[in-house]
Amino acid sequence: MKNLSLTLVAGIAFAGIAGAMAPAAMAYDGTHCRAPGNCWEPKPGFPDKVKGSKYDPKHDPKELAKQSAALKAQEERNAKRAENFKKTGKWVYDVAKIQ
């Protein structure tokens, strides 16, 4: 009997919390969507377009080139590892140890 009343009280409390949160979750009505599913809007004071604004990160092309070079080198190392694995049947992580 005690367990039943405890379960009932917990259930009522959960229902109350869920009921209180439901209006907040359903508050957005979608009236400002540009297209179905495209409902992003900038915050007040934030520009519609970031490019050219004070929020534009202005990425350095040299830094971006470093990243693409690192990815290319990674792909080359992985190709060497895979080729070595096909030949020997053993996976060697350190490319310097591959002969």
Side-chain angles (χ1 to χ4, degrees):
M1 189 71 162
K2 234 181 194 183
N3 289 341
L4 179 62
S5 62
L6 184 60
T7 304
L8 184 61
V9 169
I12 291 172
F14 178 74
I17 292 170
M21 290 174 57
M26 298 177 66
Y28 183 72
D29 61 355
T31 56
H32 300 291
C33 295
R34 294 181 185 147
N38 184 5
C39 300
W40 182 86
E41 292 180 354
K43 291 182 180 180
F46 197 80
D48 285 334
K49 298 200 183 252
V50 175
K51 188 170 184 178
S53 73
K54 69 177 186 176
Y55 299 100
D56 189 358
K58 299 178 180 94
H59 295 295
D60 184 11
K62 291 179 185 177
E63 291 297 320
L64 295 176
K66 285 181 188 178
Q67 181 178 5
S68 57
L71 289 174
K72 184 178 177 185
Q74 177 184 357
E75 290 171 358
E76 289 172 359
R77 289 191 304 271
N78 285 339
K80 288 180 184 178
R81 291 179 183 123
E83 182 181 331
N84 184 58
F85 179 75
K86 288 177 186 175
K87 289 179 184 175
T88 64
K90 275 185 152 182
W91 182 260
V92 179
Y93 182 76
D94 190 359
V95 180
K97 294 180 181 177
I98 297 175
Q99 298 171 358

